[in-house]
Amino acid sequence: MSPSTDRADVLIIGAGASGSVAAKHFAEQGLSVVMLEQGDWVKQSDLPGDKPEYELLAYKDWHPNPNVRRSSSDYPITTSGTVEQIGMFNGVGGSTILYASCWCRAKPSDFRVRTLDGVADDWPLSYEELEPYYNLVEREYSVSGHPDNPAYPKGYRPPLPAHPINGPGRTLAEGMNKLGWHWWPGYNSIPSRKDGHLEQCVRAGVCMFGCPHGAKASADIAILPDALKHGARLVTQARVCEVPVDDRGRATGAVYIKDGKRVFQSASVVVLAANGIGTPRLLLMSASGRHPNGLGNSSGLVGKRYMTHPFGTSVGLYEDELGDFSGPAGELVESMQFYETDASRGFVRGSKWHVIPAGPRPLFYINRWANGEGTKDEPFWGEMFAPKMKSSINHLIEIMVMPDDLPEETNRVTLDSERTDSDGLPGVKVHYVSGENTRRLVDFNLERSLEAHKAAGAYKTWITSRNNPSWHNMGTAKMGHDRETSVVNGFGRSHDVPNLYVIDGSVFPTATGVNPTATICALARRTSEYIVKNARNQEISA
Amino acid sequence: MTAAPAPFQLNPEQRVRLAKLADCLISGGAGMPSASEAEVHGPWIERTVAARPDLGPVVLEAISLAGEPAAALETLKTEKRMTFEFFAFAVAGAYLINPRIRNLLGYPGPAPAKNPAFPDEAESYLEDGLLDPVINRGSIYRPTPRS
């Protein structure tokens, strides 16, 4: 095994949303940073969104499910239970390459789930403690949004103005006003004007296929250039297989495979930013005599409590043309009307709704008609294909219901030695079953969403799907004060390995009912600052 | 060395068969042409398979099915659901990338078009006080409880 040349102050595993935020901060503070990323850079010109064949390409090589993409940087994921697909992107920028850029802060109640609702756990920090870091990363991610949303405490003022809500947003907003229900212009990590490294959004609406116009805040464009400019070193196609520890229990760095050879990168501090699947995978692969159940797993919780947001969708058809060919996609509008717990509904916790424009993706309309709950028994192929497509494209609004998801230890990520990646490392198995509370939550919100469509003037409404994979992977290295019931502390530091940190969605004690990227990035920024401020007292390997 | 896959090419008989199968899936209506009228069996299936080589074998398998087209597709749907789904996806994909079809559906161009917002466009959607009812109702969040 080849040794690395220099010992890094900080070694970050994963060059996605959180890894990039951390790398930038560390590098700007003068620390030596090495990042290891199993994938490679994405060429903007390779992204499909400006080509006529864009949807065809997107649903294979740019699909969020690594089992569909099957690139050399992916690893096999076998699912069981009620989750059929897992989403992520393994490359520089991580899942931000394909994310929709819906940017959503968690709310104060999300940090006090146990105290307020008597279930799951409280987070080891409050909204107020995380708020300064939300502000910092929203600047870095060029977040655009309308200020002073009454669904949040005062002071939430995104750095850039909101995008237009377009016809679909306007139409639904009018319906929500009739019902007296909350709605707000969407927040997106997509600049509404040229900002930093990013171009102004051109509203092509292909955000989830990667932005070919350099206008979406994917980490590779928005954040990493600054980290690299300040001296961070990024090694791509470097697949980490182990984080070794010394005989005092300190992490010594990481072993990675590149071009078929194992290389050791030494580091004083190791930071895992490999997402809610990749991080537990690496911790479990790093099992040793000292850590027989996986690195940092004295609690037994590494890989357990996997959470996702098994969202539902409903659609409404409208007589008028909606002007639905524009993005961002991204969210046009969102609603927090049913976010906070009302136990009289028969469940606790709640759901955020949002509208992502449907028009830019015509092929996906087929799924809504042919497989939608309300329409799958209607004729579609043959004589009805053209009339249904004509009546729905530019005439349809889709509401996505994103439910909070409660942790269960039986929902878990484990290693799969039978299906390996291109370097022979084990894939993963993900077992997940939606809990009763989550199912009731989704059902309730879908029914309310149909009412919203009708209030907005829809002449036909139906539920298109339930239990969709959200591509949000959370909970598998839970943060908490108690080392017996958590993997890392409130700053993401391993309870077992004092110079090992986790900064991705693995640390979430609960899922929240919102898109996780904002909170992941804020936590990463907070942990990075903590590491720098406490460098003098940081225990490291000799 | 592994040989490169043969380019996807259909002979005239295969194209005729594809046209009939495709028309079973997309027969037109509401001012839209059928799949064959939109030349799905011509250049558009080739563009589709060029973008998605994995669909080539699926298309060839469907074309090779014997019998009356509608019945053949129904059998495929019953006995090999995934193959049917992928074939239908390929035909729909070929149909929908035809710029004439996109134009009839209202799309501004053959590919997603740039349409940057005007400087005051966001405000224009809100200028009649659309947000006022939401703001006037006040806060709807549960604050951090005092411990």
Side-chain angles (χ1 to χ4, degrees):
Chain A
M1 180 161 61
S2 310
S4 58
T5 50
D6 293 311
R7 178 175 183 159
D9 291 328
V10 184
L11 173 62
I12 301 172
I13 299 170
S18 58
S20 300
V21 164
K24 177 173 182 280
H25 182 67
F26 291 136
E28 286 175 340
Q29 297 301 310
L31 275 65
S32 62
V33 180
V34 173
M35 303 178 79
L36 300 176
E37 167 53 53
Q38 65 189 325
D40 207 345
W41 288 93
V42 170
K43 280 190 213 164
Q44 200 170 297
S45 57
D46 286 345
L47 294 169
D50 56 356
K51 304 167 180 62
E53 299 89 343
Y54 67 104
E55 265 198 296
L56 292 165
L57 295 164
Y59 297 146
K60 181 69 172 81
D61 291 344
W62 299 97
H63 198 286
N65 184 346
N67 289 344
V68 174
R69 286 195 306 269
R70 296 180 183 262
S71 80
S72 58
S73 60
D74 291 321
Y75 48 88
I77 301 177
T78 302
T79 58
S80 61
T82 57
V83 64
E84 292 183 357
Q85 299 188 65
I86 297 291
M88 69 176 73
F89 186 82
N90 297 311
V92 178
S95 298
T96 64
I97 297 294
L98 298 181
Y99 79 154
S101 315
C102 302
W103 187 271
C104 209
R105 292 186 179 187
K107 294 174 58 158
S109 59
D110 288 316
F111 298 87
R112 291 292 179 266
V113 174
R114 187 83 193 173
T115 298
L116 287 170
D117 297 322
V119 296
D121 303 87
D122 287 346
W123 291 45
L125 72 163
S126 65
Y127 174 88
E128 287 73 20
E129 288 173 280
L130 195 59
E131 187 181 16
Y133 302 97
Y134 277 131
N135 290 333
L136 287 169
V137 294
E138 282 161 4
R139 179 90 280 309
E140 293 182 329
Y141 273 87
S142 300
V143 172
S144 302
H146 200 79
D148 302 322
N149 185 345
Y152 287 92
K154 286 194 191 311
Y156 184 8
R157 306 182 70 85
L160 298 177
H163 294 272
I165 62 175
N166 298 342
R170 171 91 196 183
T171 299
L172 187 67
E174 289 172 345
M176 299 294 271
N177 280 349
K178 285 181 191 169
L179 293 169
W181 289 355
H182 175 269
W183 70 275
W184 203 253
Y187 302 94
N188 296 281
S189 46
I190 301 172
S192 51
R193 59 177 183 235
K194 189 170 166 51
D195 187 64
H197 301 295
L198 302 173
E199 300 299 320
Q200 178 186 344
C201 177
V202 296
R203 301 195 295 174
V206 292
C207 312
M208 286 188 276
F209 306 152
C211 179
H213 306 291
K216 183 177 87 167
S218 55
D220 58 330
I221 301 175
I223 313 292
L224 267 176
D226 295 324
L228 300 177
K229 184 177 78 176
H230 283 92
R233 185 164 70 90
L234 169 62
V235 184
T236 59
Q237 296 180 305
R239 181 169 265 145
V240 178
C241 55
E242 183 190 358
V243 174
V245 294
D246 63 18
D247 52 14
R248 289 193 306 141
R250 279 39 166 181
T252 58
V255 178
Y256 64 94
I257 302 172
K258 186 168 172 69
D259 299 326
K261 296 180 183 156
R262 294 194 173 220
V263 181
F264 173 68
Q265 172 64 55
S266 172
S268 298
V269 171
V270 177
V271 176
L272 302 187
N275 82 40
I277 304 286
T279 283
R281 178 185 185 227
L282 180 54
L283 290 171
L284 293 171
M285 287 198 297
S286 301
S288 63
R290 194 183 189 97
H291 298 273
N293 298 318
L295 184 63
N297 196 20
S298 64
S299 64
L301 289 178
V302 169
K304 292 181 182 174
R305 299 170 59 104
Y306 172 78
M307 293 174 287
T308 184
H309 291 128
F311 70 87
T313 53
S314 72
V315 297
L317 291 185
Y318 298 79
E319 294 285 357
D320 293 339
E321 291 186 356
L322 294 170
D324 188 30
F325 299 121
S326 293
E331 50 178 50
L332 299 177
V333 293
E334 63 170 50
S335 172
M336 294 288 199
Q337 178 64 27
F338 300 103
Y339 196 87
E340 301 288 359
T341 292
D342 178 343
S344 68
R345 296 171 187 157
F347 56 86
V348 294
R349 312 302 302 154
S351 167
K352 168 207 171 196
W353 299 2
H354 59 249
V355 171
I356 295 179
R361 293 166 288 143
L363 264 173
F364 202 74
Y365 280 73
I366 296 172
N367 202 48
R368 296 187 178 101
W369 282 108
N371 299 321
E373 280 184 20
T375 53
K376 62 184 175 187
D377 294 327
E378 296 177 3
F380 178 69
W381 293 109
E383 289 180 354
M384 294 310 298
F385 176 92
K388 285 191 170 178
M389 294 294 272
K390 182 87 172 158
S391 70
S392 53
I393 291 176
N394 202 24
H395 293 270
L396 178 146
I397 296 174
E398 179 173 79
I399 296 175
M400 301 176 79
V401 161
M402 180 156 297
D404 198 346
D405 192 22
L406 297 177
E408 299 283 352
E409 286 193 21
T410 47
N411 290 335
R412 58 189 300 178
V413 175
T414 54
L415 295 180
D416 185 353
S417 55
E418 293 180 8
R419 296 182 70 208
T420 58
D421 66 19
S422 57
D423 288 304
L425 299 175
V428 298
K429 295 180 183 177
V430 179
H431 177 76
Y432 172 85
V433 176
S434 284
E436 178 67 23
N437 192 79
T438 300
R439 286 197 296 274
R440 287 187 186 184
L441 200 165
V442 171
D443 291 350
F444 174 89
N445 276 273
L446 283 175
E447 292 301 317
R448 302 291 81 71
S449 72
L450 296 179
E451 294 169 22
H453 283 301
K454 289 172 188 158
Y459 66 87
K460 182 180 171 75
T461 66
W462 70 97
I463 292 171
T464 34
S465 63
R466 264 173 241 264
N467 204 42
N468 285 284
S470 68
W471 321 128
H472 303 157
N473 305 305
M474 302 165 287
T476 47
K478 179 201 170 200
M479 67 182 347
H481 297 302
D482 184 350
R483 63 183 305 122
E484 296 201 1
T485 59
S486 58
V487 176
V488 299
N489 72 5
F491 287 98
R493 191 175 82 176
S494 166
H495 289 301
D496 299 341
V497 183
N499 61 338
L500 177 68
Y501 293 80
V502 180
I503 58 169
D504 55 52
S506 308
V507 304
F508 282 25
T510 60
T512 80
V514 299
N515 313 70
T517 304
T519 302
I520 288 171
C521 290
L523 287 171
R525 183 63 173 77
R526 180 172 176 266
T527 292
S528 308
E529 187 176 281
Y530 172 85
I531 291 171
V532 171
K533 283 185 176 172
N534 290 279
R536 257 181 220 280
N537 301 319
Q538 176 66 61
E539 296 176 57
I540 62 175
S541 177
Chain B
M1 182 186 297
T2 305
F8 179 80
Q9 279 181 337
L10 299 177
N11 62 40
E13 291 75 23
Q14 287 175 313
R15 290 192 193 279
V16 169
R17 182 67 176 172
L18 176 57
K20 290 179 180 173
L21 290 167
D23 280 350
C24 291
L25 294 171
I26 303 174
S27 53
M32 306 288 293
S34 69
S36 62
E37 289 167 344
E39 297 183 274
V40 162
H41 59 296
W44 301 110
I45 196 67
E46 286 160 5
R47 285 276 294 266
T48 296
V49 175
R52 290 286 303 270
D54 60 305
L55 295 174
V58 171
V59 173
L60 291 173
E61 181 176 347
I63 290 172
S64 71
L65 295 171
E68 193 273 328
L73 282 176
E74 198 55 41
T75 302
L76 185 67
K77 191 174 179 182
T78 304
E79 296 181 358
K80 292 181 84 174
R81 180 77 193 211
M82 288 307 298
T83 304
F84 170 83
E85 297 276 349
F86 276 108
F87 177 64
F89 175 83
V91 169
Y95 186 79
L96 289 168
I97 62 171
N98 182 328
R100 180 179 151 221
I101 299 301
R102 279 182 68 91
N103 186 53
L104 287 170
L105 290 170
Y107 285 96
K114 292 184 185 181
N115 181 28
F118 295 111
D120 58 354
E121 188 172 343
E123 289 78 24
S124 70
Y125 282 95
L126 309 176
E127 65 190 0
D128 58 352
L130 190 69
L131 263 178
D132 290 348
V134 182
I135 296 168
N136 293 339
R137 281 194 296 270
S139 298
I140 61 162
Y141 68 93
R142 287 185 293 171
T144 302
R146 297 174 193 234
S147 47

